[in-house]
Amino acid sequence: MSSASRSSPTLATLPVFPATHIMGYLDIDSLWNLACTSRVFMEFVQDLKIRTGGYHVDIQQGLYKIHLPAIHYYYSYYEEDDEYLIDSMDKDYKDFQSLFPENIDVLRIDATLVNHFHRFNQECTVLSVGEHPIYYNRQKMNDCSTEQIDLLLNSVNFRKGLALNGPKPLVTENEKIFNIDWLHIKNCTWITPEFIRKLKNKIVFLMDTQQLTEGDINQYLKDLKNGKIDNKNLQVIGFNCGFGRPRWNEEAILDELDTVRGVDQIYKVEDYDKRIKSELFLGVVSDTGDIKIEDSFDFTRDDGIKISVEFICRTVRVYIWNQKQNQDQDKDQNMEKDTKKRGHPKDTNGPAAKKSCL
């Protein structure tokens, strides 16, 4: 009596649980290669719904990188032809997304691709344009006109943040930059007092603001105090003077603001999103959105909201405290009783600044 031959089991014929367990040991490249072998494996990997976190996509002349920070995965591709490079990046991202359906958290487009800005139409949480000048010390940079940068800003759907990193000035007054939640601009030699009054952002950091004087910032703070700045969203705004001029004159910026000294305060960023750390929108901030303000000059807005002004090296940052915390009058009174000196030690989005006799 002959016995019937039995075929050896394969991954495709294994029950779901053992197959899932085995795939748990495979890295992204292995899962991708496996999925490409057959439709069965493609659908199986898709059904696993592997959580990879959002994508970081970087593209510059000759190179693009696809990064999944949550699982420490990198993929890069080199190509001298810029048109083919952009097409390949778009195709590879769509292929990755078919298996691991996450959105682009950060899309970084290098200024060397200025002549191809019209080719980008992705969606992302944060759009970053340009890079640090150190990367361009051996090549001549093309100028980027206002029309070209506007073309990019209008075609890419960035939902929460925009960073214009240069290295040359990226001059634009595109409507989208005034309303995005987080805004960071380097090489702000073109920024004027009128420009910053138009801002409706939540978090702003402007670097190399050579055209802004201490008097301009002082007037901005006075108008902020008197309610003349029409931005109810503003939480933090920072101004960096750059290395081409002396550091900020603190007395000139604080002139006639009637400030008191604040010490060791904890400012909480409202509706904190960790993706804000992808660019220099804020200074040092914890993973829960806490910012320690060791030393500040505080004053109270006409509506009772406290404002803190902090000087660190070549940067002055202005914090508008959380209005919800200011409504807690009992907490305010208790903290006022405990505070016998200038400032509000260990204050968390706390009461309006109180004048001190010291």
Side-chain angles (χ1 to χ4, degrees):
M1 183 176 178
S2 61
S3 59
S5 61
R6 181 177 298 175
S7 59
S8 300
T10 66
L11 187 58
T13 61
L14 284 176
V16 172
F17 178 75
T20 303
H21 184 71
I22 292 172
M23 287 191 173
Y25 288 95
L26 300 180
D27 59 20
I28 293 297
D29 285 329
S30 298
L31 287 170
W32 175 257
N33 292 333
L34 179 64
C36 290
T37 60
S38 72
R39 184 175 183 83
V40 172
F41 287 134
M42 175 71 74
E43 293 176 351
F44 192 87
V45 174
Q46 290 172 336
D47 290 341
L48 291 177
K49 294 181 169 50
I50 298 172
R51 295 183 178 181
T52 60
Y55 292 87
H56 288 204
V57 179
D58 299 13
I59 183 167
Q60 63 187 60
Q61 206 166 51
L63 167 69
Y64 68 80
K65 296 178 288 185
I66 296 177
H67 180 204
L68 290 167
I71 58 174
H72 310 290
Y73 174 77
Y74 283 90
Y75 171 79
S76 60
Y77 181 80
Y78 296 86
E79 172 58 51
E80 293 183 359
D81 185 289
D82 291 338
E83 295 282 337
Y84 188 79
L85 181 78
I86 295 169
D87 288 341
S88 297
M89 180 207 73
D90 194 48
K91 181 181 182 304
D92 281 347
Y93 167 66
K94 290 177 180 177
D95 287 343
F96 274 110
Q97 197 183 42
S98 68
L99 273 186
F100 315 110
E102 296 285 352
N103 296 320
I104 299 177
D105 279 348
V106 183
L107 174 60
R108 293 189 173 93
I109 302 175
D110 196 88
T112 55
L113 296 172
V114 60
N115 294 324
H116 306 280
F117 278 175
H118 63 283
R119 299 290 309 281
F120 296 94
N121 56 4
Q122 291 79 8
E123 293 187 4
C124 57
T125 301
V126 174
L127 172 63
S128 174
V129 186
E131 262 293 356
H132 193 279
I134 193 173
Y135 294 106
Y136 304 105
N137 59 355
R138 292 186 179 180
Q139 56 182 303
K140 182 179 180 180
M141 284 295 303
N142 293 323
D143 289 327
C144 182
S145 68
T146 297
E147 291 74 18
Q148 288 170 313
I149 187 65
D150 283 349
L151 181 63
L152 180 64
L153 299 185
N154 289 331
S155 60
V156 175
N157 180 16
F158 49 99
R159 294 183 293 274
K160 291 187 74 72
L162 172 66
L164 300 178
N165 290 313
K168 292 187 176 182
L170 299 176
V171 182
T172 177
E173 293 200 20
N174 187 287
E175 182 181 353
K176 294 172 75 173
I177 75 171
F178 294 104
N179 299 291
I180 195 71
D181 286 352
W182 316 325
L183 178 66
H184 170 45
I185 305 178
K186 289 183 181 177
N187 210 338
C188 293
T189 54
W190 53 279
I191 298 293
T192 64
E194 292 72 24
F195 179 91
I196 62 175
R197 290 173 181 276
K198 296 178 183 178
L199 298 174
K200 300 292 190 295
N201 319 88
K202 294 180 180 179
I203 308 292
V204 181
F205 187 34
L206 306 176
M207 297 185 67
D208 308 311
T209 52
Q210 296 179 12
Q211 296 300 315
L212 294 180
T213 66
E214 285 87 348
D216 293 328
I217 298 178
N218 174 256
Q219 187 59 53
Y220 179 83
L221 292 175
K222 288 178 179 177
D223 291 343
L224 194 62
K225 179 178 182 178
N226 298 329
K228 295 181 180 179
I229 300 297
D230 183 23
N231 184 2
K232 297 180 180 179
N233 301 316
L234 186 61
Q235 297 180 42
V236 183
I237 184 169
F239 306 92
N240 174 276
C241 63
F243 291 97
R245 56 177 288 177
R247 294 187 180 189
W248 295 116
N249 183 314
E250 297 182 11
E251 291 185 1
I253 288 177
L254 300 173
D255 186 42
E256 298 182 355
L257 286 171
D258 200 16
T259 62
V260 296
R261 205 67 175 261
V263 180
D264 291 338
Q265 302 181 93
I266 301 298
Y267 180 90
K268 285 188 171 293
V269 179
E270 193 173 356
D271 300 323
Y272 180 71
D273 185 329
K274 290 183 180 179
R275 291 173 293 187
I276 200 172
K277 299 175 81 170
S278 63
E279 289 286 341
L280 293 176
F281 298 110
L282 285 171
V284 179
V285 57
S286 73
D287 287 339
T288 58
D290 292 351
I291 299 175
K292 184 176 182 180
I293 308 175
E294 295 184 355
D295 188 17
S296 66
F297 299 88
D298 301 348
F299 63 90
T300 305
R301 218 163 59 180
D302 286 356
D303 60 2
I305 300 299
K306 185 175 75 175
I307 294 178
S308 294
V309 183
E310 177 190 39
F311 294 90
I312 299 181
C313 298
R314 296 181 177 276
T315 296
V316 53
R317 272 196 173 88
V318 182
Y319 301 87
I320 293 83
W321 291 80
N322 190 331
Q323 298 187 30
K324 296 176 183 178
Q325 294 291 336
N326 279 268
Q327 294 170 357
D328 190 349
Q329 297 298 325
D330 292 337
K331 181 178 179 180
D332 290 359
Q333 293 173 2
N334 291 336
M335 295 191 76
E336 184 179 356
K337 291 178 182 178
D338 293 338
T339 304
K340 299 299 182 182
K341 59 182 180 179
R342 285 186 177 185
H344 306 275
K346 297 182 181 179
D347 193 7
T348 303
N349 288 22
K354 308 295 183 182
K355 290 186 179 180
S356 171
C357 60
L358 297 179

